[in-house]
Amino acid sequence: MLLTIDIGNTNLTLGLYEGDQLGAHWRLATDHNRMPDEYGLQFLGLLQNAGKTLDQITGVSLASVVPPLTGRVIQACREYLKQEPLVVDAGIKTGIKVRYEDPKAVGADRICDAVAVMKFYGGPACVVDFGTATTFNAVTKDGEYLGGAITAGINLAAEALYTRAAKLPRIDLQVPPSVIGRNTVHAMQSGLLFGYVSMVEGMVTRFRSELGSDMKVIATGGLAEVVAKETKVIDVIAPWLTLDGLRIIWQLNH
C-alpha cells in the first residue's frame, strides 16, 4: 500500500493507494510549527483510523512546496513509518518534459498535476489548481509542461481584505444571493467568488488561444468544486489530482 503526501502552504493532503485505487484520503491544515514526532504520530493515527497497519505500507511518495517542512515529514516517515520517501524533485522520472526556463523552479505539485492529467485525460490541457495560490498550468498534446500563470488564491485574497481593510470582516466563502451584494458580507462573497470565476473564464480563453481549441480544463485543489459550480468552462473536477500524480511517479521510479 502506497502513502502519498502533498505538503502545501495551506493544506497537507494524504492518500492511501491499493494498486491504482485511492482509498482513505485526508486534507488537513498545514501546521508550520509541527515537529517530526508530531507528524509521525499523526500519520500513525490516520492509519489506525483507516483500519490499516504499519506493515501494510510499502512506500511513501512525497511532494512539497514548503521547504522548511519537507525535512520534518521525511524524518517522520523514516522514524515512524519505517519508509524512505520518494521525493518529487529534479532527477526523478515523471514521464513528462518540463519546458520551463528553470525546471527546478516549478512546484512539485504542479508537476504531479501535469503527470496525472496526461495519464487520465491527455493534452492539450489547462490545469487550474485552487490552493493558497491559484495556478494555471499548460500541458501540450505531447505531454510537455510549458509553464502557466500564478495569482493569489481566493482564501488568501479574502484574508488580505480582512487584515488590510479596517471595516471589512472575515467571511466564509459561500455563494451570495446575487451578484450585487446588498450588505458587506454578500458584496465580499460576490467579489471573491464571481470575480475569481470570471478570472478563470478569461484565463481559460487566453490559454486556449495558445494551446488550441481542443484544450481540456481540469480543476483541482480544495476550492475546485466551489468555483466549478459557477462556470461551464471547467471540464473535469479532480480534487485529488496531485495524489494521483504522486502515485504514477512512484510507479515510474519503482
Side-chain angles (χ1 to χ4, degrees), residues 5-207:
I5 305 173
D6 174 31
I7 307 173
N9 288 290
T10 302
N11 293 127
L12 181 71
T13 311
L14 306 95
L16 286 172
Y17 282 88
E18 296 188 60
D20 295 345
Q21 297 299 314
L22 177 62
H25 48 278
W26 307 271
R27 195 185 300 276
L28 312 174
T30 300
D31 186 343
H32 294 258
N33 297 315
R34 184 164 287 177
M35 294 293 104
D37 290 332
E38 294 176 290
Y39 278 113
L41 291 171
Q42 184 178 46
F43 295 162
L44 292 178
L46 292 173
L47 290 175
Q48 183 179 22
N49 184 66
K52 307 299 181 183
T53 60
L54 187 59
D55 59 4
Q56 290 179 277
I57 302 299
T58 57
V60 178
S61 187
L62 170 68
S64 175
V65 295
V66 191
L69 296 185
T70 307
R72 299 180 202 174
V73 173
I74 290 174
Q75 184 179 340
C77 291
R78 290 170 177 165
E79 296 181 1
Y80 287 84
L81 304 181
K82 311 304 178 185
Q83 296 289 335
E84 182 66 32
L86 172 70
V87 181
V88 176
D89 205 347
I92 70 166
K93 297 178 183 178
T94 62
I96 64 170
K97 297 177 181 179
V98 179
R99 298 302 189 190
Y100 217 55
E101 290 182 359
D102 180 5
K104 294 181 180 179
V106 183
D109 55 343
R110 299 169 78 184
I111 297 299
C112 292
D113 290 346
V115 168
V117 163
M118 284 306 299
K119 173 73 173 182
F120 296 125
Y121 311 110
C126 173
V127 187
V128 189
D129 192 337
F130 296 95
T132 306
T134 296
T135 64
F136 299 83
N137 303 285
V139 184
T140 71
K141 63 181 179 62
D142 297 321
E144 298 174 320
Y145 177 85
L146 295 182
I150 305 172
T151 188
I154 301 177
N155 286 332
L156 190 62
E159 190 65 17
L161 287 174
Y162 168 70
T163 57
R164 299 302 295 272
K167 289 190 175 183
L168 296 183
R170 179 178 276 127
I171 64 168
D172 292 327
L173 187 64
Q174 299 178 359
V175 180
S178 63
V179 175
I180 301 174
R182 301 293 299 278
N183 58 54
T184 302
V185 170
H186 289 167
M188 292 175 67
Q189 289 173 336
S190 175
L192 288 165
L193 179 57
F194 298 135
Y196 268 80
V197 166
S198 297
M199 179 186 66
V200 168
E201 292 171 343
M203 290 297 287
V204 164
T205 298
R206 291 175 181 271
F207 269 58

